[in-house]
Amino acid sequence: MTISESNIHILELYNQYFMYDVATNAIFSITKDMCKFLLFNQKGREMEVTGELKDELEYLTNSGCLRPANENVIVEHFETSLLESLYENNLNTIILQVTQNCNLRCQYCVYSGSYINRVHNNKRMSVKVAKQAIDFLAKHSMNSKEISIGFYGGEPLLEFSLIQEAVDYAERIFIGKRILFNMTTNATLLNMETAKYLYDKKFNITISLDGPKATHDSNRIFANSNKGTFDTIMQNLEQIRKEIPDFTKNIGFNAVIDLKQNVACSSEFFLNYETVKGMNVASSYINPISKKDAEPVNPELIAISNYEIFKTYLYACNKELFTRFKPTLYSSEVASLRQVIKERFVGMQMNDEKISPGGQCLPGIQRFFVTVEGKFFSCERVDEESSELCIGSLESGFDLENAKKILNIAKITEKECSACWCYKMCSQCVAKAGEDGRIEASNRLKWCDQSRKNAEEFIKNYIVLKSFGCDFEGGV
């Protein structure tokens, strides 16, 4: 039996041994002797198989594990051939970039000047383009009963009148379908007139808020004064709580985790600050893609962040033990474990002929981003100045060739991906391959070590949490 490093991955965790089998996508607890046998085998050395080791080996092989790697495997997403028909009648979501301008100058924003090829400017979406985009969605959503329309910037509330016209037009166009409106905003322009309109139209609002005043104001500042925005946001939220209390059910927060700050303060803020207490919060890290300078690392602040994640894991295992502590800032950590590990497909009925490393989304289907100029992109995270990442336009429709290239982005690193143990858990989307607007293998490959490290951490954390009773069901 020959076992290559691309077939399995062995993990040691608290003096116990585990094996991730690539073919079955399953995780097995193994004995120390089996660990030695597998490592010896990978190095081309022989080890006698007798007794309990023989029984364990037989169990693993009968479970479909330790199969030889398929040398003829190719990179191709299994839904590639369906993409054209999905575009024809199955769209159900659109994100309109109503402006590339913003009244803030957040230090870590992708338009802040700290990133390649992106800066704030005065480009704005016209009413004509907005209506054309809605018409395009209507034409290609015949099979969809529910429609989602998002408004994005820059700061979308700079174009509030445009948003009103787009909403009114969509309500006339999509008669008989349920329409969901959503928006991401910095909330500094969220006055009562605007809030009442958004409430009446049942908008779901995501407000960018990083934590307490000192943390938030260190990055999120007004463009015209360089002053922090925390007080303005709190005043607007407090007024909404007073005059439209039901609207808070449709408001959540996105906190950017800046590891130059003490994130424990942010965790405490979202738990106990009266204005935001009890409201949903998600978090994201500063985007490292195409950033001109690497973020500095402070070991003490990293440790504090890890401890906050640890508390979130404790809560996931025993909610009764932490009756006063319901984590919010890092709740996505458990959600990611649930998605990447628990919900992965496990079994022997895998397609061994084709692989699609990176978990690539269907461009334009999961998310469909339309720029101020009417260009199409797979989401708002990619560089909208890139011709290679563009999947079409209102003028020409979908660029099926580009969309298929993006869907099968791992094709540019096919050799490396085919020989990698974590291709089924790889977290690399096209944004990482398209740094500086160019899709290149070197861009993708430089993230591989981090992707493998992340996958191993996911597996280890899943094993530990599961052993302590976490069922990963529902939210944290």
Side-chain angles (χ1 to χ4, degrees):
M1 177 183 293
T2 302
I3 304 169
S4 71
E5 292 185 6
S6 63
N7 283 21
I8 62 171
H9 185 64
I10 297 171
L11 305 94
E12 182 179 356
L13 186 63
Y14 305 123
N15 296 319
Q16 298 183 61
Y17 299 91
F18 299 87
M19 179 192 78
Y20 168 68
D21 183 78
V22 177
T24 59
N25 203 20
I27 303 165
F28 291 84
S29 174
I30 59 175
T31 63
K32 187 174 183 178
D33 286 342
M34 176 56 68
C35 178
K36 287 182 179 180
F37 169 78
L38 295 173
L39 292 174
F40 271 47
N41 189 292
Q42 286 180 335
K43 294 176 181 178
R45 298 161 62 185
E46 294 186 4
M47 179 175 172
E48 187 178 2
V49 180
T50 58
E52 293 181 359
L53 180 58
K54 184 176 181 180
D55 293 339
E56 186 178 6
L57 184 61
E58 184 177 341
Y59 170 77
L60 291 174
T61 54
N62 287 341
S63 299
C65 300
L66 307 180
R67 285 183 283 170
N70 184 353
E71 296 181 357
N72 299 315
V73 69
I74 61 172
V75 170
E76 182 180 323
H77 196 283
F78 70 96
E79 290 181 292
T80 302
S81 61
L82 300 177
L83 202 55
E84 186 172 9
S85 64
L86 290 173
Y87 286 155
E88 189 64 30
N89 293 306
N90 295 281
L91 298 186
N92 60 18
T93 183
I94 196 168
I95 303 169
L96 302 179
Q97 184 192 51
V98 294
T99 179
Q100 291 184 359
N101 201 358
C102 187
N103 61 326
L104 270 58
R105 289 297 181 267
C106 302
Q107 303 292 336
Y108 46 61
C109 177
V110 293
Y111 297 99
S112 65
S114 300
Y115 292 79
I116 299 170
N117 285 347
R118 284 180 167 185
V119 292
H120 283 297
N121 58 70
N122 292 321
K123 290 181 180 179
R124 56 192 293 270
M125 180 174 283
S126 67
V127 173
K128 179 182 178 181
V129 169
K131 289 182 176 180
Q132 286 178 335
I134 291 169
D135 286 337
F136 186 90
L137 179 62
K139 181 181 178 181
H140 294 273
S141 60
M142 298 297 292
N143 295 337
S144 302
K145 296 180 180 179
E146 186 174 276
I147 299 297
S148 173
I149 300 178
F151 299 94
Y152 196 82
E155 171 47 48
L157 288 181
L158 287 171
E159 301 295 334
F160 183 55
S161 60
L162 168 63
I163 292 171
Q164 289 176 300
E165 290 198 55
V167 167
D168 291 343
Y169 187 69
E171 289 178 334
R172 296 197 300 270
I173 292 295
F174 292 107
I175 295 175
K177 294 181 186 287
R178 185 187 180 204
I179 311 176
L180 305 174
F181 297 112
N182 58 81
M183 178 191 299
T184 299
T185 175
N186 61 44
T188 58
L189 303 174
L190 192 58
N191 57 42
M192 286 311 301
E193 179 185 354
T194 301
K196 287 177 180 177
Y197 175 84
L198 298 176
Y199 172 68
D200 289 340
K201 296 299 181 180
K202 298 181 174 58
F203 265 72
N204 287 312
I205 305 296
T206 298
I207 293 175
S208 301
L209 179 67
D210 294 345
K213 181 176 173 63
T215 299
H216 180 89
D217 285 351
S218 66
N219 283 308
R220 294 189 178 275
I221 56 177
F222 283 110
N224 59 0
S225 66
N226 287 332
K227 291 182 179 179
T229 59
F230 179 85
D231 290 339
T232 301
I233 297 170
M234 288 303 106
Q235 289 170 11
N236 291 342
L237 283 173
E238 286 163 8
Q239 193 71 11
I240 289 172
R241 274 192 175 277
K242 180 181 178 181
E243 297 192 30
I244 326 174
D246 284 347
F247 192 25
T248 59
K249 298 175 184 176
N250 291 359
I251 296 177
F253 303 104
N254 180 67
V256 174
I257 295 175
D258 180 1
L259 293 178
K260 298 191 295 295
Q261 308 287 331
N262 184 338
V263 296
C265 298
S266 294
S267 291
E268 180 68 20
F269 169 79
F270 286 110
L271 282 170
N272 296 312
Y273 195 85
E274 198 60 37
T275 307
V276 302
K277 187 177 180 180
M279 299 171 72
N280 292 326
V281 57
S283 61
S284 58
Y285 292 95
I286 294 176
N287 181 15
I289 301 169
S290 295
K291 206 169 190 305
K292 293 178 181 178
D293 300 308
E295 288 293 312
V297 176
N298 183 321
E300 182 179 353
L301 294 176
I302 297 292
I304 291 172
S305 175
N306 289 337
Y307 183 59
E308 292 302 313
I309 296 174
F310 170 71
K311 289 193 291 185
T312 304
Y313 287 163
L314 283 180
Y315 180 83
C317 292
N318 191 334
K319 294 179 174 62
E320 294 180 1
L321 184 64
F322 293 89
T323 54
R324 296 183 58 192
F325 178 81
K326 182 178 180 181
T328 52
L329 188 63
Y330 281 107
S331 58
S332 60
E333 295 288 335
V334 177
S336 295
L337 281 176
R338 181 171 61 246
Q339 180 182 5
V340 175
I341 305 296
K342 184 179 186 296
E343 295 176 356
R344 75 195 189 285
F345 179 77
V346 179
M348 290 184 285
Q349 303 303 317
M350 303 292 290
N351 188 338
D352 289 331
E353 303 301 321
K354 296 180 180 180
I355 63 173
S356 183
Q360 189 63 33
C361 69
L362 293 170
I365 302 299
Q366 272 94 339
R367 298 179 77 79
F368 176 31
F369 186 61
V370 180
T371 70
V372 292
E373 299 166 328
K375 293 181 180 180
F376 299 166
F377 290 87
S378 55
C379 74
E380 66 277 14
R381 297 177 181 177
V382 300
D383 182 357
E384 62 263 31
E385 297 299 317
S386 170
S387 59
E388 292 185 71
L389 293 171
C390 182
I391 59 172
S393 68
L394 289 172
E395 183 178 347
S396 61
F398 280 109
D399 184 332
L400 194 60
E401 183 178 348
N402 258 18
K404 286 183 176 181
K405 285 181 181 177
I406 290 171
L407 182 60
N408 294 288
I409 187 61
K411 194 77 174 175
I412 63 174
T413 52
E414 186 166 14
K415 179 181 178 182
E416 292 83 357
C417 289
S418 300
C420 180
W421 67 266
C422 86
Y423 73 83
K424 291 179 181 176
M425 295 185 187
C426 181
S427 58
Q428 287 201 53
C429 75
V430 69
K432 289 184 176 178
E435 285 199 69
D436 195 16
R438 299 188 304 273
I439 295 178
E440 295 179 351
S442 58
N443 289 337
R444 184 174 170 85
L445 291 174
K446 73 179 184 180
W447 295 97
C448 288
D449 285 343
Q450 187 63 50
S451 290
R452 283 188 286 266
K453 180 181 178 181
N454 290 345
E456 182 169 306
E457 287 300 309
F458 271 128
I459 295 172
K460 288 180 177 180
N461 290 337
Y462 175 78
I463 290 170
V464 173
L465 266 64
K466 190 172 177 62
S467 69
F468 279 94
C470 180
D471 59 9
F472 296 95
E473 298 298 334
V476 174

